[in-house]
Amino acid sequence: MSESRVTGVSQHEQGATGLPSTSRQYWTEAAHTGALREVRLPQTGPGEVLIETLHSGISRGTESVVHRGEVPDNVTSIMQAPFQLGELPFPVSHGYLNVGVVRQGSEELLGRTVFTLAGHREHVVVPEADCHVLPEDCPSERAVFAGIGEVALNALWEAPVLAGDRVAVVGGGLIGLTTALFASKLPLQRLQVVEIDAERRELIRELGLEAVAPEDAAADNDAVLHSSASSAGLATALQLAGDDAVIVEQSWYGTGEQQIPLGADFHARRLRIVATQVGEVPGPRRMRRTRGQRLATALGMLDPRFDMLISGRSPLAELPSVMRDVASGAPWTRDQILHIIDHPLTENHAFG
């Protein structure tokens, strides 16, 4: 696909509004197969806005499961992205990390840079109420993390993690590091990020967090937040939990089957494994927080440390091959945390 540009947008035919008449969207067409579709520019309805995308982000765990066609049939409706097109398993245009500029709609939002739970599409149409204007001190790239921050905040509320707690985060990937960075804002007695990879532990220390190998991790934790998406990681989480403690499971395994040692001291020590899924606000907050309020809170909690988690970037034209590599665990992607997809507007947009 061509990456030439005209006045900050793709080189498509343009109408009187200055907007292109067509727009590109990334779709998972079949298992292990993604492609860009060129479609008519989406049209707004009452109470909706048209957003021209600056950046979208790859949520490695979820989007790999979707790309490989591993979404269980009985949860396709539950696991759909808020503004996906098509239906799981495929063809589907998934994704939920999008930052762009409002080009049509509410005068209050026109020209503003916003985060939405939309995917890898040059233009998206969403309700005005689902646009979250970026804080003045938040760069557009950092704001891509807002959707992951919502996942992290959900887990902290689910446990719940409280002042003075001893907390372990098992897994130093995108979800784990975002959760740990959010948890570090609380007055905890102890916070450790448990990670098997030595190089990743160095990055974690550069973030100002305590990083330890599994064999060096402290036990007797009040809460353990697990996101490694592996049986070994969940077994470690069980070992690190104190008596009567809670393990919050943040991983999504898709159709994969896991084996964990529940025959050891799981029952004797009265441990709890709690599922957390971002589609709902956790029970302890559900009556007092909407999903929109939760996302706005997460967006406001992003700080400059998140800039260090942007580990790669590619233009939209390369997304089909990038997604293939990410989902297959290609060598160059294994150390990736958040891979940013730059859309044509990125180069020429003047921020105001």
Side-chain angles (χ1 to χ4, degrees), residues 100-124:
V101 179
V102 176
R103 297 296 301 271
Q104 290 180 349
S106 161
E107 289 189 10
E108 181 181 356
L109 291 174
L110 200 63
R112 305 293 296 274
T113 304
V114 297
F115 174 87
T116 65
L117 290 167
H120 307 287
R121 305 196 289 273
E122 281 186 311
H123 299 86
V124 297

Side-chain angles (χ1 to χ4, degrees), residues 174-328:
L174 176 60
I175 299 294
L177 291 180
T178 301
T179 302
L181 287 172
F182 275 19
S184 71
K185 298 176 181 292
L186 301 172
L188 303 176
Q189 185 179 123
R190 182 180 69 223
L191 173 62
Q192 293 183 326
V193 182
V194 184
E195 170 57 46
I196 60 174
D197 184 80
E199 290 188 11
R200 182 60 60 86
R201 291 199 297 271
E202 285 302 313
L203 170 62
I204 294 168
R205 294 183 184 111
E206 291 174 11
L207 292 168
L209 302 169
E210 182 181 357
V212 296
E215 61 271 19
D216 299 323
D220 196 29
N221 287 284
D222 300 291
V224 182
L225 308 166
H226 174 246
S227 63
S228 79
S230 69
S231 297
L234 186 50
T236 296
L238 288 166
Q239 294 169 4
L240 299 181
D243 292 355
D244 294 298
V246 60
I247 299 97
V248 179
E249 178 56 88
Q250 297 177 274
S251 304
W252 185 27
Y253 299 95
T255 56
E257 295 184 1
Q258 308 300 315
Q259 292 188 347
I260 54 175
L262 298 182
D265 55 354
F266 175 73
H267 290 285
R269 296 202 295 116
R270 302 168 305 282
L271 303 180
R272 291 180 294 133
I273 301 177
V274 177
T276 181
Q277 201 278 328
V278 75
E280 295 290 347
V281 176
R285 296 287 187 280
R286 194 169 301 167
M287 300 304 295
R288 298 178 303 282
R289 299 289 191 283
T290 66
R291 285 182 292 180
Q293 289 171 332
R294 178 186 59 188
L295 198 153
T297 299
L299 179 60
M301 291 178 68
L302 301 176
D303 61 51
R305 294 178 294 176
F306 283 89
D307 301 344
M308 298 172 61
L309 303 187
I310 298 174
S311 54
R313 62 192 318 138
S314 303
L316 178 64
E318 297 177 6
L319 181 54
S321 60
V322 169
M323 192 70 76
R324 179 196 62 215
D325 289 349
V326 167
S328 67

